[in-house]
Amino acid sequence: MSRIITGYRLLAARSQPRAGFTLIELLVVMVIIALLAALLLPALSMAKFRAQGIECMSNHRQLCLAWRMYSDDHRDELLYASEDPTNAATFGYAWITGTLNFNPANQSNWDPSLTVERSPMWIYCGNSLRIWKCPADTSFVVVNGQQKRRVRSMSMNVFLGGWGGNPYYFGTGYGWSNYKMYLRQSQLVYPGPSRIFVFLDMRQDSIDMGNFGTDMSGWPDQPASYGFYDLPGSYHGRAGGFSFADGHAEIHPWRDNRTMPPLVPEGYVADQFRSPDNPDVAWLQQHATRPVQ
């Protein structure tokens, strides 16, 4: 009888549910999780991509509003796209001063108290440093072993005030002769504020002073002469952020690979070159200025 009971106990013990999983079961679960992640990650990446685009446009609109508010409070005058380095009197009338690079000794790269917070527009920005950058710009400068984010990714159309009011600081090349340098909001009626960009995102390896220069060579009907003086950003895939004088912002897609050469990490790209028949150059020219009437 005791043998029967003992045997029953052994059978009962063997029939109880075992604890844990087998290796095969764990592998199956891991494969399922990997498959789900592979399906979800592209959707999550696209959602992040779109969110950055929306935030970039919001930053552009707010910065452009601050630019317009300054003009409204200063007799319709436009801020300069850059200071004239040879004329100290122009520094207080440039939308931003300082030159960006990747030199850790250049404090203007990462210290907003020397640049952004001294801008004539700063009081109109709600003390927001965030709106001076595209959220997709992650460039930084290494200072004493620490990564410090650069203060801005946005630059201003050089035809809005030039270098301290001087359109020819770097000479009369690049097709700039005989093109309008806007100094007042009212002058933007030609061709209309919705057709002239104010700010754009620049590539981290092309941005330096506060302005973006559009090479006007060949405009409007000689595309063989097209080229670049500066290169626009493409932080949103093959597209970059812009704001316009009427206050609207957009993410503009680029069509030509020559507009987006490989990035030069922590250095400068060769951004002045001929680019015949490039439709992106034509678009920039169309939205930068107009011939002097």
Side-chain angles (χ1 to χ4, degrees), residues 37 48 81 92 145 179 242 253:
K48 179 180 178 181
Y179 282 92
F242 283 82

Side-chain angles (χ1 to χ4, degrees), residues 8 32 54 67 95 198 210 274 279:
Y8 173 78
I32 292 173
I54 292 171
W67 169 79
W95 84 280
V198 179
R274 294 295 97 204

Side-chain angles (χ1 to χ4, degrees), residues 273-288:
F273 57 90
R274 294 295 97 204
S275 191
D277 303 301
N278 187 331
D280 299 328
V281 173
W283 188 90
L284 288 167
Q285 293 176 336
Q286 180 70 17
H287 295 86

Side-chain angles (χ1 to χ4, degrees), residues 43-122:
L44 293 174
S45 297
M46 183 58 68
K48 179 180 178 181
F49 184 79
R50 290 176 177 173
Q52 286 180 332
I54 292 171
E55 183 178 350
C56 181
M57 287 192 292
S58 175
N59 291 350
H60 268 287
R61 283 192 292 266
Q62 292 180 68
L63 199 64
C64 200
L65 177 61
W67 169 79
R68 179 58 190 257
M69 290 173 69
Y70 174 91
S71 293
D72 289 344
D73 286 348
H74 292 82
R75 303 177 303 279
D76 200 44
E77 295 176 354
L78 296 181
L79 289 167
Y80 301 139
S82 287
E83 73 277 19
D84 180 344
T86 66
N87 184 357
T90 66
F91 281 52
Y93 300 97
W95 84 280
I96 192 76
T97 56
T99 299
L100 298 186
N101 50 37
F102 289 93
N103 182 357
N106 177 15
Q107 199 169 339
S108 295
N109 280 310
W110 48 268
D111 187 351
S113 69
L114 299 181
T115 54
V116 171
E117 293 176 9
R118 293 186 181 183
S119 167
M121 289 168 38
W122 177 244

